[in-house]
Each structure stands twice: as structure tokens, then as C-alpha cells.
């Protein structure tokens, strides 16, 4: 795994590159790969290298796990000297799980495909997440994610829409057969980290969740195309989990589970860990997920979820738009949720709140730990071909309060259900809503708009820099 002597930094001038490219025309022997890119990122890097510098083989068959590890370990030494970027060139790069480093960019060429290995020995195990206490597929332990990072600062995973293919079918089959001894890996996970960007990539067929930032802050996720079969198990798109200051925008997601699932830990473990997801923006998302939600809040929400701002989102052929999932035992809260502008087509439910979601990690949960669901605001919604306008089920003795719904027009399917608004244990108001809401959400005489904050969250003012990247690899 010794890096070749071709390691080149961006110090090489473009004059040299041009001269070299001319030379290449004359003499075809020389380089396997040379390119120049501009791309937006939170931080640019002083040093760069290509995966092939470290012996990478892009034939789709040779494992590159050790190559990724060697490359990133080498580049980690430049963290305090302007940082480094690793270019994944055109090719199919088979790999197991590998770890990221700080002040680092992983850049995928548009014709690069990172292929996840189906050899379990390429996937180290990690302890279960402390805020979950148990694994979701198997109680003890979990596989490390394909691209994993912990305790990092300033990490970018981006490209010109290059692809990461989780080859999930192997794991979905094991899940269905009940053969998993550890919880399945995610595609990308960062833990205990700050300043993260994940952008301009196509992610397909994750073994389980696709993108999982947890216990982290200042996260920008944009321009992702996420694709999985609509019947694949637990292929959530993006799961911000106990994170502060997150901006998710311009993503297109087709999946077998919630397109976005906002989380913060599970029952007694999440309550004890006590780390909320807060200050989250979700905008310009397009979602297709026939059996799940465009945006789910929960079901694991035991560290609390607060200040979520969802704007200008689209769902097509999706079970529900924004769904709150919780249960007695979860504790904590979901509050100050603001949704403005949804365009929806072919939905089972527009509004859905589930207070009896169940699904507990173990019998040790406290049934008296009741969640506080309050301040839930929806406005400016247009929906077509809907089966039920709303199913809003709070918890008996713990009603969901402060629900506000305004300026909503719902067109129904050819055979709509008679009871369009099925409400229990909820309190709130509506204005200018068709069909008319349930009695628990009375229409006010004076028309009004439900609130949406005027202020900007700090993550909205983060500006991207334009980074230039020049790479040459001779091997
Ligand atoms: C990284 O690899 C290059 C190229 O082989 C080598 O010159 C350099 O010393 C390595 N750096 C570190 C810190 O290992
Ligand atoms: C990756 O990080 C995890 C968690 O810190 C650690 O257990 C594992 O050993 C690391 N893997 C490598 C190859 O360094
Ligand atoms: C990572 O950060 C967490 C939270 O600050 C800390 O508990 C843990 O020890 C750190 N891990 C490492 C490997 O530094
Ligand atoms: C990225 O690739 C996907 C899959 O090929 C494609 O559907 C999408 O339009 C591409 N996005 C951009 C911005 O080029
Ligand atoms: C990345 O995606 C954003 C949209 O999210 C787009 O504005 C930008 O041009 C894309 N950049 C590249 C290098 O593809
Ligand atoms: C729920 O949260 C709201 C807003 O923070 C607070 O006013 C209310 O007292 C809480 N309710 C319960 C039952 O804790
Ligand atoms: C009502 O919502 C629609 C989108 O469904 C929007 O175009 C319109 O401006 C909203 N009306 C008001 C008064 O805000
Ligand atoms: C309307 O929704 C039904 C499911 O309720 C679906 O079968 C049908 O294709 C949809 N129609 C249109 C025009 O999208
Ligand atoms: C309304 O919701 C309740 C609680 O989930 C359910 O038991 C009932 O069957 C629903 N009613 C109709 C008519 O769908």
C-alpha cells in the first residue's frame, strides 16, 4: 500500500498542466488521470491526492478498503497545514467501511462509483449508539457505516454527482430472513462532529439508512439524489439525529422508508442521553415513498425535537407529508415545528400524528414518560388525489396541543373516505382549510396565517467558497 511517487499537490501550476496535457497527446503512455474542477464547499484544501496514488484499483472487483485507509491516514497529516482532498477518479471502487479525518474533502468524479463490499469481514463492528441503547436490527453491536467519521471538524463529501452504491440487496435479504447478528451499516455516518458538508452526489441502495449525522452540529446537506427500491427495508434518506444547526436542501429522494426522519434517541436511553435535534431547515425536497413519510419527526425523539423549519417541499405518491411518530415511554418533546409550502400529489394522509407508535428498545422503558407535542404549524399546502386529509391521534391524558393549520386545499381521490379528519386527543385551530377540519381544530372566524419564523438560523448564513482542484495521477 505504499503510495506511488506521483503524489501531487495543487501547487503544480496550470501552465505545467497544460504543457503536460500536450505532452500526453504526443505520448499516450503517461498518465491514467488528470482533471481540473471548480466546486462549492465550506472550505477549500491546500493539498490533494488521487486514490490511484495509493494503489487504488477501479475494476469493481478489487477491494480498496486498505487503499482508502492508507490515503486518508496519509492526508490526515495535512489537517493543520491547509487540509487535503482525496479525489476518487472514474472507475468502480469496491470498498468496505473506512473512516474520515478532519479538514478533509472526499471528492467523487462524475464517473466515479464507490461500491460497497458485500464481504462482512470488510465491515468492522461498533458499539450500539448510546442514545439508542439497542441496535435496530439486532440488540448488540452494529456494523460501522460505509463512510464513517467520529470526533471530526470540517469534513466535505462531495463531487460532480458521482455515485455511492451500497449494494444493499445483500443486507435487505439478511434482514428479511432474520439472519442479522449486528445492526446493518448505514451509508454515511458522522458522529460527534462539527462543520460537515455532504453534497452533489448520487446515493443508491444503502443497506439501511443513507445519511446519518448524529451528535453533530453545523451540517449542510444539498444536491443529493438518493435512490432505493420503494419496498427496500429501512432505507431512510437523511436522518438528522441529535444534531444542532442542520440545513438540508435541493435533494431528490425515492426510498423504501421516510425520505427524511428527524430523530434524537430511543426511550430511556434517549431520555438519559438528552441531546435534541434543533434548528433544522428542510427545503426544496422532492420525495417519493409510497409506504412512508416525506418528513417524519420520530419515532425515536427521546432527546427532543425543536425548531424545525420545512419550506417548499414536494411529495408524490407518498404515504404522508409530515408525520409525528411517538409513544408513551419516549418522553421529551416535539415543539416549534413550522411547515410552509407543500405541494403534494397522491397521498394516503396529508397530516398524520401517531401517539401510539410503540416500538420500544426493551421492556425497561417508563410508560409514564409522556412526550410533550406542542406548537405544530402548517400553512400553504396544496394536495391532490388524497385518501384521508388527516389522522391526528394524540395520547389519552397527554393531548398534542398548539396545532395550527392554515391555507390548505386538499383534492380527494375518486373514492375518498367519509371521515376525512379523524382526530383524537389533539387541540388547535384552523383557518381556510378544505375539506373542513375536525371539531377539535375549530375554524376561526377571522382568517389568519399560522406562524413561520422571520429570523434566519445561523446555518443559513454559511457561504460556500469556490474551490479549485487540479489533479494528476500517473498510475
Ligand atoms: C504521503 O504520501 C506521500 C507520497 O508517497 C509521501 O511523500 C508523504 O511523505 C506521505 N505523507 C505522510 C505524512 O505519510
Ligand atoms: C474507525 O473508527 C472507529 C471508531 O473510532 C474505530 O473503532 C476503528 O478502529 C477505526 N478504523 C480504522 C481502520 O482506523
Ligand atoms: C468523541 O467525543 C465524545 C463526545 O465529546 C467523547 O465522549 C468521546 O470520548 C470522543 N471520542 C474520541 C475517540 O475522542
Ligand atoms: C445526478 O444523477 C442522477 C442519477 O443519474 C440524476 O437523476 C440526476 O438528475 C443528476 N443530478 C444532477 C444535478 O446532475
Ligand atoms: C451542486 O448542487 C447545487 C445545488 O444543490 C448546485 O447549485 C451546484 O451547482 C452543484 N455543484 C456542482 C459542482 O455540481
Ligand atoms: C409542553 O411544552 C410547552 C412549551 O414549552 C409548555 O408550555 C408546557 O407546559 C409543556 N407541557 C407539559 C405537559 O410539560
Ligand atoms: C396559500 O397557499 C398557496 C400554496 O398552496 C400559495 O400559493 C398562496 O400564496 C397562499 N395564500 C396565502 C394568502 O398565503
Ligand atoms: C390517485 O391515487 C390512487 C391511490 O389512491 C392511485 O391508484 C391513482 O393512480 C392516483 N391517480 C392519479 C391520477 O395520480
Ligand atoms: C379514527 O381513528 C381511530 C384511532 O386510530 C380508529 O380507531 C378509528 O377506526 C378511525 N375511524 C375511522 C372512521 O377511520
Amino acid at each position: 500500500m505504499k503510495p506511488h511517487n506521483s503524489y501531487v499537490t495543487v501547487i503544480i501550476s496550470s501552465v505545467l498542466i497544460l504543457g503536460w496535457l500536450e505532452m500526453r497527446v504526443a505520448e499516450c503512455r503517461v498518465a491514467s488521470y488528470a482533471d481540473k474542477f471548480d466546486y462549492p464547499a465550506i472550505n477549500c484544501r491546500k493539498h490533494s491526492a488521487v486514490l490511484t496514488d495509493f494503489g487504488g484499483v477501479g475494476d469493481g472487483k478489487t477491494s480498496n478498503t486498505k487503499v482508502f485507509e492508507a490515503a486518508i491516514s496519509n492526508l490526515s497529516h495535512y489537517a493543520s497545514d491547509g487540509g487535503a482532498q482525496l479525489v476518487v477518479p472514474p472507475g468502480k471502487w469496491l470498498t468496505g467501511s473506512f473512516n474520515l479525518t478532519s479538514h478533509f474533502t472526499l471528492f467523487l468524479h462524475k464517473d466515479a462509483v464507490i461500491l460497497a463490499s458485500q464481504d462482512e469481514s470488510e465491515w468492522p463492528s461498533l458499539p450500539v449508539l448510546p442514545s439508542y441503547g439497542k441496535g435496530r436490527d439486532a440488540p448488540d453491536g452494529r456494523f460501522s457505516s460505509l463512510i464513517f467519521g467520529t470526533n471530526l471538524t470540517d469534513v466535505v463529501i462531495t463531487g460532480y454527482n458521482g455515485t455511492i452504491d451500497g449494494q444493499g440487496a445483500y443486507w435487505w435479504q439478511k434482514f428479511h430472513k432474520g439472519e442479522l447478528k449486528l445492526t446493518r451499516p448505514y451509508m454515511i455516518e458522522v458522529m460527534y462532529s462539527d462543520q460537515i458538508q455532504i453534497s452533489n452526489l448520487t446515493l443508491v441502495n444503502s443497506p439501511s439508512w443513507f445519511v446519518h449525522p448524529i451528535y453533530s452540529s453545523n451540517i449542510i446537506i444539498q444536491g443529493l439524489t438518493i435512490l432505493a427500491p420503494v419496498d427496500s427495508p429501512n432505507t431512510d434518506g437523511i436522518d438528522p439525529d441529535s444534531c444542532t444547526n442542520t440545513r438540508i436542501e435541493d435533494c431528490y429522494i425515492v426510498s423504501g422508508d421516510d425520505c427524511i426522519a428527524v430523530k434524537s434517541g430511543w426511550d430511556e436511553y434517549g431520555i438519559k442521553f438528552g441531546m435534541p435535534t434543533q434548528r433544522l431547515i428542510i427545503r426544496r425536497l422532492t420525495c417519493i415513498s409510497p409506504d412512508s413519510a416525506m418528513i417524519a419527526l420520530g419515532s425515536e425523539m427521546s432527546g427532543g425535537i425543536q425548531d424545525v423549519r420545512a419550506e417548499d417541499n414536494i411529495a408524490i405518491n407518498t404515504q404522508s407529508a409530515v408525520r409525528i411518530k411517538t409513544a408513551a415511554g419516549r418522553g421529551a418533546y416535539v415543539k416549534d415545528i413550522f411547515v410552509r409550502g407543500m405541494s403534494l400529489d397522491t397521498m394516503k394522509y396529508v397530516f398524520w400524528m401517531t401517539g401510539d407508535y410503540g416500538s420500544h428498545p426493551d421492556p425497561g422503558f417508563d410508560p409514564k414518560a409522556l412526550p410533550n407535542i406542542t406548537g405544530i404549524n402548517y400553512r400553504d399546502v396544496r394536495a391532490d388525489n388524497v385518501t384521508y386529509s388527516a389522522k391526528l391521534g394524540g395520547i389519552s391524558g397527554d393531548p398534542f396541543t398548539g396545532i395550527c393549520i392554515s391555507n390548505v386545499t386538499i383534492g380527494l381521490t375518486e373514492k375518498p373516505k367519509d371521515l376525512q379528519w379523524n382526530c383524537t386527543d389533539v387541540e388547535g385551530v384552523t383557518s381556510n382549510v378544505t375539506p373542513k377540519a375536525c371539531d377539535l381544530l375549530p375554524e376561526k372566524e377571522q382568517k389568519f396565517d399560522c406562524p413561520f419564523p422571520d429570523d434566519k438560523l445561523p446555518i443559513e448564513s454559511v457561504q460556500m467558497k469556490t474551490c479549485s482542484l487540479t489533479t494528476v495521477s500517473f498510475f
Side-chain angles (χ1 to χ4, degrees):
M1 278 335 109
K2 183 176 111 22
H4 296 280
N5 62 356
S6 60
Y7 184 92
V8 176
T9 70
V10 285
I11 300 159
I12 288 182
S13 71
S14 52
V15 175
L16 195 88
I17 296 290
L18 286 176
W20 172 82
L21 283 174
E22 275 163 27
M23 211 174 82
R24 184 172 182 249
V25 174
E27 191 189 347
C28 305
R29 174 195 70 80
V30 203
S32 61
Y33 178 65
D35 232 324
K36 190 173 184 326
F37 308 97
D38 281 342
Y39 67 94
I42 51 172
N43 280 307
C44 304
R45 312 298 179 197
K46 187 165 151 196
H47 303 271
S48 78
V50 183
L51 195 64
T52 41
D53 294 342
F54 296 87
V57 179
D59 62 1
K61 295 192 185 86
T62 309
S63 171
N64 292 284
T65 312
K66 296 227 151 48
V67 178
F68 274 106
E69 276 168 12
I72 295 169
S73 158
N74 177 298
L75 297 177
S76 70
H77 292 96
Y78 299 96
S80 57
D81 178 31
Q85 52 204 344
L86 178 64
V87 178
V88 182
K92 289 191 166 151
W93 310 92
L94 184 70
T95 182
S97 164
F98 62 87
N99 291 352
L100 300 167
T101 188
S102 291
H103 306 292
F104 175 75
T105 297
L106 183 67
F107 184 94
L108 272 71
H109 183 280
K110 72 177 170 46
D111 299 319
V113 182
I114 293 181
L115 277 179
S117 169
Q118 297 183 328
D119 174 354
E120 285 186 25
S121 71
E122 298 256 42
W123 299 82
S125 64
L126 291 177
V128 295
L129 294 163
S131 59
Y132 282 67
K134 294 281 184 302
R136 274 311 215 150
D137 298 327
D140 306 315
R142 59 195 196 108
F143 288 103
S144 183
S145 300
L146 180 65
I147 299 179
F148 177 72
T150 189
N151 302 69
L152 304 180
T153 308
D154 178 18
V155 179
V156 176
I157 307 171
T158 189
Y160 273 11
N161 205 16
T163 301
I164 306 175
D165 181 346
Q167 304 210 87
Y170 168 84
W171 302 94
W172 306 334
Q173 216 166 58
K174 287 202 97 171
F175 170 80
H176 285 307
K177 289 184 180 158
E179 286 174 3
L180 290 162
K181 300 223 161 43
L182 298 173
T183 289
R184 280 170 286 165
Y186 305 131
M187 182 173 278
I188 300 174
E189 181 175 71
V190 285
M191 278 172 65
Y192 302 115
S193 295
D194 185 41
Q195 298 178 54
I196 305 298
Q197 172 187 341
I198 304 170
S199 61
N200 298 66
L201 296 169
T202 299
L203 310 180
V204 302
N205 297 338
S206 178
S208 178
W209 305 349
F210 277 86
V211 179
H212 186 220
I214 181 164
Y215 320 136
S216 294
S217 53
N218 300 311
I219 302 152
I220 296 179
I221 296 174
Q222 59 178 208
L224 298 185
T225 302
I226 295 182
L227 307 171
V230 293
D231 59 355
S232 54
N234 311 107
T235 46
D236 300 15
I238 303 166
D239 291 23
D241 197 341
S242 297
C243 286
T244 295
N245 277 323
T246 305
R247 177 172 128 200
I248 300 172
E249 57 197 10
D250 301 304
C251 293
Y252 176 87
I253 304 178
V254 182
S255 78
D257 210 319
D258 303 320
C259 287
I260 294 183
V262 183
K263 297 177 185 283
S264 64
W266 204 7
D267 283 8
E268 69 273 27
Y269 305 101
I271 294 170
K272 185 166 174 219
F273 201 79
M275 193 167 184
T277 288
Q278 55 192 349
R279 295 185 223 125
L280 167 64
I281 292 166
I282 302 168
R283 56 195 180 195
R284 300 185 301 273
L285 164 72
T286 300
C287 166
I288 300 177
S289 185
D291 299 314
S292 301
M294 171 172 76
I295 299 170
L297 305 168
S299 81
E300 308 91 328
M301 40 61 66
S302 302
I305 295 174
Q306 185 166 23
D307 196 353
V308 176
R309 306 172 182 197
E311 227 179 334
D312 301 329
N313 296 304
I314 297 173
I316 304 156
N317 190 17
T318 294
Q319 190 180 35
S320 62
V322 178
R323 181 178 180 194
I324 297 176
K325 305 180 192 174
T326 188
R330 291 285 195 276
Y333 53 84
V334 175
K335 60 174 77 163
D336 307 331
I337 307 300
F338 306 97
V339 180
R340 176 165 72 185
M342 291 197 289
S343 169
L344 310 170
D345 192 345
T346 304
M347 312 288 290
K348 187 168 181 193
Y349 306 101
V350 172
F351 305 107
W352 197 6
M353 299 183 188
T354 308
D356 61 351
Y357 196 80
S359 172
H360 300 287
D362 55 39
F365 73 93
D366 174 7
K368 291 202 280 299
L370 299 175
N372 184 355
I373 312 300
T374 189
I376 313 293
N377 304 282
Y378 303 101
R379 60 181 278 193
D380 307 343
V381 179
R382 193 172 173 96
D384 270 309
N385 199 26
V386 167
T387 308
Y388 298 89
S389 295
K391 183 170 165 76
L392 305 177
I395 297 173
S396 168
D398 176 33
F400 297 177
T401 60
I403 298 170
C404 181
I405 305 180
S406 70
N407 183 26
V408 173
T409 308
I410 299 174
L412 303 177
T413 55
E414 280 177 18
K415 292 180 194 151
K417 303 292 171 182
D418 291 336
L419 185 59
Q420 275 298 312
W421 287 76
N422 186 352
C423 307
T424 45
D425 302 300
V426 294
E427 295 167 15
V429 290
T430 52
S431 173
N432 190 18
V433 170
T434 345
K436 190 174 176 298
C438 52
D439 293 342
L440 293 176
L441 302 176
E443 172 128 37
K444 293 284 154 188
E445 259 171 51
Q446 192 75 40
K447 289 213 186 314
F448 62 89
D449 292 322
C450 298
F452 193 93
D454 289 326
D455 64 322
K456 291 236 178 292
L457 293 176
I459 194 70
E460 289 183 83
S461 54
V462 174
Q463 298 284 326
M464 295 276 182
K465 298 166 186 162
T466 298
C467 305
S468 293
L469 168 54
T470 306
T471 57
V472 182
S473 180
F474 295 86
F475 293 91

